[in-house]
Amino acid sequence: MASDMNGAELGLAWAVPFAGILLSIALFPLFAPHIWHHHFGKISVFWALCCIIPLATVFGPDTAFHEIAHVLLADYVPFIIFVGSLFIVAGGIHVRGSFVGRPIVNTAILALGAVLANFMGTTGAAMLLIRPLIGANENRRRKVHTFIFFIFLVANVGGALTPLGDPPLFLGFLKGVSFFWTLEHLMLPWLVTCAILLAVYFAIDSFMFSRDVKDGFKAPEEKQAIGVDGGINILFLAAIVGTVLMSGFWRSGVDFTFLGVHFSLEGVLRDALFIVISGASLLLTTKATREANHFSWDPILEVAKLFFGIFCCIVPVLAMLRAGHDGHFAPLVALVTNADGSFNNTFFFWLTGMLSAFLDNAPTYLAFFNLAGGDPTVLMGEGAKTLMAISMGSVFMGAVTYIGNAPNFMTVSICNERGIKMPTFFGYMLWSVTILFPTFFLMDMLFLI
């Protein structure tokens, strides 16, 4: 079933439901927290219907059904299965030990997470390390900044070196970008960015720790040997990584269509294996291990409910973006091309990044990848700086907002569940803009101009 929706014909009014769900996420927890806590799922569905009903009215039920079925079956369901499997498996690994949240310990955990994100994805690394980090800082009074930097480093910036790190890079891999291209070209920007953020964090945490000590903070005296419970889940994490690689390298040549949506055998097998691995983790991990991790389903359910609305409302926005120079976002699109026809890598970086902070970063990466020509051979060669700009923007700037990347929301949800009062949507952005933007400006000047 072909789509009849032309992004060039859509006015800015079609972006209202998407703006509505973003503002709901930002403002309801601030001004009506009780209503939000009990009804955020209904609010998400409300905005989804505000997009779906006009689509059906203007373009017809068939087109609306096709567009929504495509985004849900081809994008949303695989997304939830993937992040859900990582959430379940990582939630079955309990790291024991007498960790005390001193600045050097916290900094080491953040650095470890940034490295691990490239092997198990930002979601896997975040879900593996968030609970030990919470435990290490349990008796600290001033600790919110630690989890803000955790989102910066582990949930986003850390995953910039391999296609396993973050979904947009995996999409680039599927489009023909070499598996090791990002490692080769983004290693130096990754190292500099991580070094700056870790140094800034260490300075802030050292100051906060000294104030905690003055207020009477004392490290727990009991010593517990470092150990891991639920070790079988490490094998399950490896199985998830292997499954992702399989779906990227293997081409079965078997394709089929369901409800007008195209599927490949390798994609369906990948998602089926994720479900099997998740089920095995639930069956083979002891209840005591998950209880020690304070495991609950609330964080992944919150992500599933909110991203349902986001994925539905994003449909017309992405259509307008794909329309390029013919759509209402033409002034933005024009910024990426210089007068002589060459690409402006600075604008590629910032536009890809800022849209990734508010839209889903995977389709945003794909839209700008295609805008840059869509030829992986050219982009990996003479267009390397442009591909660097698109890759860095989509991965790094997912840290600018809570909705920029799925593990951001999951981290916030787990922290709130454990009694750590995280900043509001705009409160978090005050941190991110103040700390990340100067760092990103430096990365732009050093590596993209």
Side-chain angles (χ1 to χ4, degrees):
M1 188 191 309
S3 172
D4 295 323
M5 192 171 73
N6 182 356
E9 299 174 354
L10 300 179
L12 290 177
W14 288 96
V16 169
F18 184 71
I21 193 169
L22 290 190
L23 288 173
S24 296
I25 292 169
L27 300 178
F28 265 98
L30 187 62
F31 296 109
H34 182 77
I35 293 175
W36 179 253
H37 179 71
H38 291 285
H39 302 289
F40 64 85
K42 300 182 185 72
I43 294 170
S44 178
V45 171
F46 167 78
W47 286 115
L49 291 174
C50 285
C51 179
I52 295 169
I53 293 173
L55 279 178
T57 302
V58 175
F59 295 99
D62 287 348
T63 296
F65 178 82
H66 171 76
E67 295 292 342
I68 299 302
H70 185 274
V71 77
L72 292 182
L73 295 179
D75 299 320
Y76 173 75
V77 170
F79 164 78
I80 291 299
I81 291 174
F82 178 56
V83 298
S85 63
L86 287 170
F87 175 77
I88 290 168
V89 171
I93 302 173
H94 175 61
V95 181
R96 289 181 280 105
S98 295
F99 296 104
V100 177
R102 295 186 174 89
I104 190 64
V105 173
N106 288 337
T107 304
I109 293 175
L110 295 182
L112 174 63
V115 173
L116 289 178
N118 293 292
F119 301 97
M120 61 176 64
T122 52
T123 301
M127 293 304 97
L128 178 67
L129 294 177
I130 184 61
R131 294 175 179 90
L133 188 63
I134 289 174
N137 291 273
E138 194 167 8
N139 298 313
R140 289 275 305 269
R141 180 180 172 188
R142 299 169 179 87
K143 55 192 174 186
V144 169
H145 62 284
T146 294
F147 303 101
I148 291 172
F149 275 85
F150 184 88
I151 293 174
F152 292 171
L153 282 155
V154 183
N156 289 279
V157 173
L161 297 184
T162 74
L164 298 173
D166 219 23
L169 300 185
F170 185 68
L171 272 183
F173 172 59
L174 294 180
K175 290 294 180 181
V177 177
S178 167
F179 187 88
F180 294 105
W181 187 91
T182 47
L183 180 65
E184 178 185 349
H185 287 81
L186 299 188
M187 172 63 86
L188 194 53
W190 179 86
L191 282 172
V192 176
T193 303
C194 289
I196 291 172
L197 293 179
L198 288 169
V200 172
Y201 169 75
F202 184 78
I204 292 174
D205 198 43
S206 296
F207 173 73
M208 295 296 189
F209 185 77
S210 67
R211 293 187 65 187
D212 283 346
V213 170
K214 285 181 182 177
D215 288 346
F217 170 77
K218 291 181 181 178
E221 294 181 2
E222 27 187 271
K223 300 289 181 184
Q224 183 183 12
I226 295 176
V228 175
D229 296 324
I232 193 172
N233 286 286
I234 296 175
L235 297 178
F236 291 143
L237 276 177
I240 289 175
V241 170
T243 300
V244 172
L245 288 174
M246 174 276 295
S247 69
F249 283 108
W250 176 48
R251 291 291 177 269
S252 66
V254 178
D255 302 283
F256 62 94
T257 301
F258 175 70
L259 296 178
V261 182
H262 175 80
F263 295 93
S264 65
L265 176 61
E266 56 269 25
V268 173
L269 181 59
R270 175 198 63 211
D271 295 342
L273 286 173
F274 286 157
I275 293 172
V276 170
I277 293 167
S278 302
S281 174
L282 290 171
L283 286 173
L284 298 177
T285 305
T286 65
K287 184 180 178 181
T289 299
R290 293 200 182 272
E291 286 179 346
N293 265 344
H294 301 273
F295 180 88
S296 83
W297 294 99
D298 290 343
I300 190 63
L301 289 175
E302 182 174 359
V303 167
K305 291 176 182 179
L306 291 178
F307 274 81
F308 171 82
I310 290 171
F311 270 73
C312 289
C313 294
I314 208 175
V315 168
V317 177
L318 287 177
M320 287 189 284
L321 189 59
R322 283 194 298 269
H325 293 283
D326 298 323
H328 270 77
F329 291 149
L332 292 179
V333 174
L335 292 174
V336 303
T337 307
N338 295 318
D340 61 1
S342 62
F343 288 137
N344 188 316
N345 297 322
T346 290
F347 278 109
F348 260 111
F349 174 59
W350 286 98
L351 283 178
T352 305
M354 290 311 299
L355 288 174
S356 292
F358 292 95
L359 307 178
D360 182 53
N361 60 1
T364 301
Y365 171 97
L366 200 55
F368 280 91
F369 184 90
N370 290 329
L371 195 62
D375 186 333
T377 304
V378 173
L379 287 172
M380 286 190 292
E382 60 191 75
K385 281 197 173 183
T386 300
L387 186 53
M388 284 176 64
I390 295 168
S391 302
M392 289 166 60
S394 60
V395 176
F396 285 9
M397 294 200 206
V400 173
T401 73
Y402 279 152
I403 65 168
N405 209 4
N408 302 7
F409 249 137
M410 296 164 79
T411 297
V412 172
S413 183
I414 290 172
C415 287
N416 287 332
E417 193 177 52
R418 296 287 294 273
I420 300 166
K421 188 172 176 54
M422 294 294 285
T424 63
F425 187 89
F426 291 120
Y428 172 82
M429 282 193 68
L430 183 61
W431 278 85
S432 66
V433 170
T434 302
I435 293 168
L436 294 179
F437 274 25
T439 306
F440 294 158
F441 276 118
L442 181 60
M443 295 306 100
D444 181 13
M445 289 188 291
L446 289 176
F447 301 108
L448 299 177
I449 293 177

